[in-house]
Amino acid sequence: MDSRFATISHRRAIIDRKALADQLGGLGARGKAKATRLLKQALSAGRAEIARRLEEKPWQGSETAAAYAFLTDQIVRLAYDFATEHLYPVANPTAGERLTLMAVGGYGRGEMALHSDVDIAFVTPWKPTSWAEQVIEATLYLFWDLGLKVGHSSRSVDDLIRIAADDHTVRSAVLESRYLWGDEALFDEVQNRFWKEVVAGHAKAFVTEKLEERNARHKRMGDSRYVVEPNVKEGKGGLRDLHTLFWIGKYAYRVRSVPELVEKGLLTKAELRQFQKAERFLWAVRCHLHLVAGRADDRLTFDYQREIAGRLNYADRPGKSPVERFMQHYFLHAKAVGDLTGVFLAHLDEQFARSGRRFGLPALRRRPRKLEGFVLDRGRLALPNEKFFEEDPVRLLQMFALADRHELEIHPLAMRAASRDAKLIDNDVREDPRANALFLDVLTSPRDPETVLRWMNEAGVFGRFVPDFGRVVAQMQFDMYHHYTVDEHSIRAIGLMAKIERGELRADHPISTAIIQQISSRRALYVAVLLHDIAKGRGGDHSVLGAEVAHQLCPRLGLDEAETETVAWLVRWHLLMSATAFKRDLADPKTIADFVGRVKSLERLRLLLLLTVVDIRAVGPGVWNEWKRQLLREIFEAAEEMLRLGHKQKGRQHRVAAIQEQLAERLGWDESRFARLGWRLPDSYWLAEPIEVLEVNARFVDTADRDPAASRPLWTGVQPERGGTLVTVYAKDQPGLFYRVAGAISLAGGNIIDARIHTTNDGMVLDNFLVQDLHGLPFDDPHQLERLDETVTAAAAGEEPRMDRLEAKALPLPRAEAFPIRPAVFIDNKASNRYTVVEVNARDRAALLSGLAQALSQSKVTIHSAHIATYGERAVDVFYLTDLHGAKIERPARLKTIRERLLKAADCQVAAGRVAA
């Protein structure tokens, strides 16, 4: 009996192999169909029993994984026995008519989830005889009839050993193999030859291969154990990392089980418990995941997280939902796996060290002189004795400061000691000026603060020294916008700031690279980056609560009163610039005036831009784009001008005249031709559009006016500097045109991120849409543009969009349903001097904008501009409106009607009802 199976209680309640064998024994060669039926019933009943046990004790992950493997073993053995005893019996087998079945891979470890592959190696002494081929084929057909997903190979002993020596994947499979059924002596021969001919003398090469394989897998899976939709099996800190440790230990020391790693000195007893606890948790998650998904799915996506949190009996806590608590525990276990990996490899590192070099790690470049009592162990910062931290707990901070200052790696055993002794950090240490100065040195380092802070976080020192940060360690943000946990997001943001300061991101962020050299509050900036999200998960506005944390923490860190106020202000308003840039009309003077009224100084403006940039970029890959860059540049330059001069450099009429003069030079038209264009368009048009758009608009309108019969109402052009495709519509003004065009663009596959609506003085509409594809890139596929031309031309001619088709296409994906979003409408008559500003928050879908625009059309209002921002599953659509006479909408009854119509249009359930109908 495999040692893993010893943990399974009442095994016969899962499957009674002896009773089933007796039933199969009476069937004979013609009873294959009935045998298949009996085995299928037994497999189904066994799985149901295992699922029942898991529901009853949802944390028993390792036991459940072993139970699935045990059940599979019995089914495989019964199927093989039926094939050899009834289908192809041999009374006196020859030496060549021997066959052994080896369980390999995860199945070989005795671990399976419901839908895991059943990996089996059929091994023969020499070239397979016809009997062996018949038995293998019959057995496989029985497996397939049972619905098992079998990964199989059929090889002679010589072939298996030769291939294992050449292929590390096969080598790993054989390494984990165990006897399953058949000729046991043949299995023993495979094992003996494998250890003598394949393993002996090649441990170092195998370890290197496995570490390279692990690194490549991590990179493929996102290279962070804090990705908010982790892969339980293959992701960083997942089951495969634990398997890799066991493979390496088994290969190097020939251990047969994980507890034997303690005997070999690779893990302590406490670390063994940590290993087993993490393994049990991860297997519980994986087994529940397979049951919930109904297939082999190892990615813990948002739509599964909520259900599995419920299965594991997580409950609400103040400020944290059950799913957030579940995922925080997941990431803490993933972190534990990372800690174990470091310590484990340190021991192997010692064994395989040659000539002062270590596998997979760089050699030391220089030897620093002043190490404050720490020592170097072949290039890595190490401790002189086990009680070094206990003698002076401030050394826990000093170790990381020295690693940063001298650009050293920290020895994994020193990291182990830091993790063990982090509890020594108490209030006395937190208040110690030396400790705070060391921490601030690391945080504001000009070298690589991200890496050293991550080490500090991995060791648990970070959270102990800054308890408020400890509260957000491994805390996920349950939405489709944030890619990382709060602590990982914050550390990445600090790393991005350091890269900007070093000039490494000059091409992406030229303004930020320039202004970071001009700021006088460098320390305050880095502390603000650390603290901007520190109050998430507390149940209130994290910006307000975070500012309170800043007021308490900054003096302790050694910041003066002015720096503390700056940090608190930045944390309080760290979302101000992005919210204004992405959700307000930057051509409206009051937008800039209100923003400047909050910022008040050039220093704050520069600091806020820098914080905003790294905050957005640290959310995850693909979140930062050209459009966001353009908007942030726009608001920064407009606010900088106002702060320098106290007002806009020129009044409205002067600015319009200057823009028209610049455009006239670009166009080169005669005076009367240009004057007609200037007369037709209102001042708001000239102030709302960049000069490049004004030029293409002018040429398009001029061409259309010269030959109306031949012209089409649509012009498109990619604008890389704005990160999208400009779609311009020029047509006769008519009720509902905007919502029809918006629907047409969505039907063609476009995603509108900005819209400017202009009406000429002679009754034409000139609308400019900035459009991206569904991947956030410019909308430039020729086939899509052709479809766009057709749908927009039809919309301009008065054809209503097929809203049912649009809703059917655009209803949220199943993953988005994991996030309950109640639509909300906010109406603001103070945000603009000229317009009523309406903001709609709702679940994102392609039909949303056109549906909202239709509701506004039915409300008899004029849309002057629309601004669309998306945050994962959530969309924020903002409209600048007037009534049909150009005045603000202020009557309460009318505003109530508009709000109700927009709420109905934003509601996904209503939309789904329309499609169903």
Side-chain angles (χ1 to χ4, degrees):
M1 173 67 65
D2 189 284
S3 61
R4 276 191 174 272
F5 299 160
T7 63
I8 307 169
S9 61
H10 307 296
R11 289 189 284 274
R12 286 189 180 177
I14 295 173
I15 184 170
D16 187 339
R17 181 162 63 88
K18 186 176 184 305
L20 198 54
D22 291 342
Q23 288 180 274
L24 294 171
L27 295 179
R30 294 186 180 181
K32 184 183 174 185
K34 188 170 182 182
T36 303
R37 191 162 58 250
L38 286 171
L39 289 171
K40 189 175 283 189
Q41 288 170 355
L43 181 62
S44 179
R47 286 173 169 175
E49 171 63 17
I50 295 169
R52 184 195 66 76
R53 293 183 184 191
L54 184 62
E55 184 178 2
E56 191 175 275
K57 297 180 179 178
W59 293 95
Q60 290 196 338
S62 299
E63 297 87 339
T64 304
Y68 279 122
F70 168 77
L71 171 63
T72 305
D73 276 10
Q74 312 318 310
I75 295 294
V76 167
R77 290 168 180 174
L78 288 163
Y80 177 80
D81 286 348
F82 187 80
T84 54
E85 293 172 9
H86 298 288
L87 301 181
Y88 299 102
V90 178
N92 297 300
T94 65
E97 289 175 326
R98 291 184 296 148
L99 183 61
T100 189
L101 276 64
M102 295 189 344
V104 296
Y107 182 35
R109 285 190 307 275
E111 301 171 336
M112 297 180 74
L114 174 59
H115 297 288
S116 294
D117 291 356
V118 181
D119 294 325
I120 298 174
F122 294 91
V123 184
T124 55
W126 306 290
K127 182 180 178 181
T129 63
S130 59
W131 171 83
E133 288 175 341
Q134 289 173 322
V135 168
I136 291 169
E137 182 180 10
T139 306
L140 286 172
Y141 272 113
L142 274 170
F143 294 160
W144 293 329
D145 289 343
L146 294 173
L148 296 175
K149 189 180 176 185
V150 181
H152 70 281
S153 64
S154 175
R155 296 186 177 105
S156 68
V157 175
D158 285 344
D159 285 344
L160 182 60
I161 298 302
R162 177 177 51 79
I163 293 170
D166 294 337
D167 187 324
H168 72 88
T169 304
V170 175
R171 194 154 59 247
S172 298
V174 178
L175 181 69
E176 293 192 293
S177 63
R178 62 184 171 89
Y179 171 71
L180 185 53
W181 213 232
D183 193 299
E184 198 163 357
L186 193 57
F187 173 80
D188 291 339
E189 182 184 344
V190 170
Q191 292 296 302
N192 290 333
R193 287 189 60 183
F194 175 74
W195 285 100
K196 286 179 183 176
E197 299 175 30
V198 178
V199 176
H202 297 96
K204 183 177 178 181
F206 180 81
V207 171
T208 302
E209 281 178 0
K210 282 297 159 194
L211 293 181
E212 288 173 353
E213 182 184 280
R214 182 196 65 160
N215 292 339
R217 172 168 47 80
H218 288 172
K219 193 169 184 180
R220 195 170 64 249
M221 292 291 159
D223 206 25
S224 171
R225 64 181 61 94
Y226 303 114
V227 178
V228 293
E229 288 187 301
N231 188 301
V232 180
K233 179 183 176 185
E234 302 284 354
K236 196 169 186 177
L239 283 165
R240 183 64 81 216
D241 281 1
L242 290 176
H243 299 159
T244 300
L245 296 190
F246 182 57
W247 290 338
I248 291 173
K250 190 169 186 179
Y251 207 97
Y253 292 93
R254 204 167 177 174
V255 299
R256 291 166 298 177
S257 64
V258 173
E260 288 183 40
L261 295 173
V262 176
E263 297 172 21
K264 302 297 181 182
L266 293 174
L267 297 175
T268 64
K269 287 183 179 180
E271 286 158 353
L272 172 64
R273 288 193 294 273
Q274 203 175 21
F275 184 111
Q276 293 170 329
K277 188 177 179 183
E279 182 182 46
R280 195 176 193 225
F281 177 87
L282 292 169
W283 266 114
V285 173
R286 190 177 183 215
C287 289
H288 283 293
L289 186 53
H290 278 218
L291 283 164
V292 170
R295 55 191 167 86
D297 193 342
D298 295 317
R299 190 176 176 211
L300 192 54
T301 53
F302 293 123
D303 46 328
Y304 297 141
Q305 288 173 12
R306 190 185 297 277
E307 186 167 351
I308 292 173
R311 282 171 160 262
L312 291 171
N313 298 327
Y314 280 92
D316 273 307
R317 291 290 184 274
K320 283 185 186 173
S321 65
V323 69
E324 287 171 333
R325 293 185 62 236
F326 159 54
M327 290 306 297
Q328 184 167 28
H329 285 164
Y330 178 92
F331 293 122
L332 289 172
H333 282 294
K335 176 184 175 297
V337 172
D339 296 343
L340 288 169
T341 301
V343 171
F344 184 91
L345 294 179
H347 291 288
L348 288 168
D349 206 8
E350 299 303 315
Q351 180 175 340
F352 297 127
R354 294 291 184 271
S355 305
R357 292 184 63 86
R358 310 181 306 280
F359 57 82
L361 298 173
L364 181 66
R365 294 190 299 276
R366 57 190 175 79
R367 187 180 184 87
R369 293 178 183 175
K370 295 182 179 179
L371 290 176
E372 312 294 343
F374 288 84
V375 297
L376 283 183
D377 184 341
R378 278 180 294 111
R380 292 172 297 180
L381 197 61
L383 307 184
N385 60 69
E386 279 293 299
K387 294 192 174 182
F388 194 60
F389 290 139
E390 194 176 329
E391 293 165 3
D392 183 2
V394 172
R395 288 170 176 163
L396 285 158
L397 283 300
Q398 190 176 45
M399 180 174 75
F400 295 100
L402 287 168
D404 167 66
R405 188 180 309 148
H406 299 298
E407 298 179 76
L408 295 170
E409 290 175 10
I410 298 175
H411 196 288
L413 295 181
M415 286 288 284
R416 173 201 265 179
S419 297
R420 180 197 66 213
D421 293 340
K423 62 182 180 294
L424 297 173
I425 298 175
D426 54 16
N427 285 333
D428 289 339
V429 176
R430 294 184 194 109
E431 296 298 331
D432 191 310
R434 293 179 301 147
N436 284 285
L438 290 165
F439 177 79
L440 202 57
D441 283 348
V442 173
L443 176 60
T444 61
S445 168
R447 289 167 290 274
D448 186 10
E450 178 181 1
T451 297
V452 181
L453 286 171
R454 187 170 285 114
W455 291 345
M456 195 183 290
N457 195 33
E458 296 283 343
V461 170
F462 201 157
R464 287 288 298 186
F465 188 68
V466 185
D468 288 294
F469 188 82
R471 292 177 65 171
V472 297
V473 168
Q475 181 179 313
M476 75 167 297
Q477 301 171 77
F478 192 62
D479 56 44
M480 294 177 73
Y481 178 61
H482 295 93
H483 293 234
Y484 303 110
T485 55
V486 178
D487 56 326
E488 177 69 6
H489 164 76
S490 301
I491 292 171
R492 282 175 178 255
I494 291 165
L496 286 164
M497 190 67 77
K499 287 179 181 177
I500 288 173
E501 188 173 19
R502 293 194 298 266
E504 294 173 15
L505 300 177
R506 188 184 305 276
D508 284 347
H509 305 290
I511 293 180
S512 296
T513 303
I515 66 173
I516 200 168
Q517 306 304 325
Q518 301 168 13
I519 62 171
S520 58
S521 307
R522 182 180 179 276
R523 294 200 311 176
L525 175 62
Y526 276 88
V527 175
V529 176
L530 170 65
L531 301 184
H532 75 281
D533 278 349
I534 202 161
K536 282 198 168 178
R538 300 192 183 191
D541 185 331
H542 78 281
S543 301
V544 175
L545 296 174
E548 294 173 5
V549 172
H551 276 296
Q552 295 165 4
L553 181 62
C554 290
R556 196 197 97 189
L557 293 177
L559 272 61
D560 61 32
E561 189 175 340
E563 288 175 308
T564 298
E565 283 303 320
T566 299
V567 173
W569 184 90
L570 285 168
V571 174
R572 172 63 184 89
W573 299 106
H574 72 273
L575 298 173
L576 175 66
M577 184 175 250
S578 58
T580 306
F582 305 155
K583 298 192 284 187
R584 291 295 180 263
D585 188 346
L586 300 182
D588 187 328
K590 194 168 189 301
T591 298
I592 304 302
D594 287 351
F595 175 71
V596 167
R598 181 68 65 187
V599 175
K600 290 186 172 67
S601 78
L602 282 169
E603 176 75 359
R604 278 184 176 180
L605 177 66
R606 291 171 185 143
L607 295 170
L608 186 57
L609 175 66
L610 289 163
L611 176 54
T612 302
V613 167
V614 299
D615 188 18
I616 295 170
R617 282 202 57 159
V619 165
V623 174
W624 179 263
N625 57 35
E626 288 295 329
W627 176 234
K628 288 175 181 173
R629 183 207 314 274
Q630 169 81 12
L631 292 174
L632 289 174
R633 174 191 284 267
E634 223 174 291
I635 191 173
F636 177 80
E637 290 177 346
E640 185 182 42
E641 180 186 351
M642 186 173 283
L643 283 164
R644 283 185 185 280
L645 301 171
H647 55 80
K648 279 285 187 181
Q649 190 169 10
K650 296 177 180 176
R652 185 179 179 88
Q653 292 303 320
H654 284 95
R655 290 171 63 212
V656 170
I659 291 167
Q660 289 180 343
E661 185 178 340
Q662 186 183 359
L663 180 61
E665 286 180 16
R666 295 172 75 120
L667 293 172
W669 292 354
D670 60 56
E671 191 174 331
S672 62
R673 185 177 174 190
F674 186 82
R676 171 171 164 74
L677 179 71
W679 166 81
R680 295 180 68 197
L681 290 157
D683 289 352
S684 59
Y685 168 76
W686 301 101
L687 298 172
E689 303 288 5
I691 191 69
E692 296 80 10
V693 173
L694 295 176
E695 183 177 357
V696 296
N697 280 181
R699 297 190 189 281
F700 174 47
V701 168
D702 185 64
T703 301
D705 287 347
R706 286 175 180 276
D707 190 359
S711 67
R712 298 182 68 78
L714 180 73
W715 182 93
T716 61
V718 175
Q719 296 193 315
E721 71 283 356
R722 301 176 76 198
T725 296
L726 178 66
V727 175
T728 299
V729 177
Y730 180 58
K732 287 185 177 179
D733 193 11
Q734 52 194 285
L737 178 62
F738 176 74
Y739 91 78
R740 291 200 301 273
V741 171
I745 292 172
S746 296
L747 276 172
N751 182 33
I752 300 167
I753 59 172
D754 193 69
R756 307 278 170 162
I757 297 92
H758 310 288
T759 306
T760 68
N761 293 325
D762 55 354
M764 298 293 286
V765 162
L766 182 61
D767 291 351
N768 288 314
F769 299 86
L770 193 62
V771 181
Q772 294 177 336
D773 64 17
L774 297 180
H775 304 290
L777 300 172
F779 188 80
D780 57 0
D781 180 83
H783 299 294
Q784 288 183 315
L785 289 173
E786 186 178 335
R787 172 72 175 144
L788 180 72
D789 187 275
E790 292 174 7
T791 56
V792 171
T793 300
E799 184 176 306
E800 292 287 319
R802 288 286 303 277
M803 292 301 289
D804 57 338
R805 282 176 54 199
L806 196 54
E807 291 286 6
K809 170 188 174 183
L811 285 174
L813 295 170
R815 282 175 62 208
E817 290 177 358
F819 309 96
I821 297 176
R822 295 189 62 174
V825 175
F826 307 97
I827 299 176
D828 189 347
N829 264 318
K830 296 178 181 178
S832 172
N833 291 330
R834 292 170 171 261
Y835 308 109
T836 295
V837 180
V838 176
E839 179 179 316
V840 182
N841 286 241
R843 183 176 291 163
D844 190 25
R845 64 186 198 277
L848 180 62
L849 178 60
S850 53
L852 296 174
Q854 184 178 28
L856 291 172
S857 175
Q858 292 166 350
S859 300
K860 301 292 188 292
V861 298
T862 300
I863 303 172
H864 292 270
S865 67
H867 312 271
I868 294 88
T870 55
Y871 303 90
E873 75 286 356
R874 183 185 298 274
V876 180
D877 290 4
V878 178
F879 302 91
Y880 278 64
L881 310 175
T882 63
D883 62 21
L884 297 179
H885 304 291
K888 277 189 179 183
I889 306 159
E890 297 182 303
R891 200 156 50 85
R894 190 164 186 207
L895 291 174
K896 182 182 177 183
T897 301
I898 291 171
R899 178 182 278 109
E900 288 172 352
R901 281 200 173 112
L902 288 172
L903 283 171
K904 187 175 180 181
D907 194 327
C908 281
Q909 301 303 318
V910 174
R914 284 200 297 267
V915 173

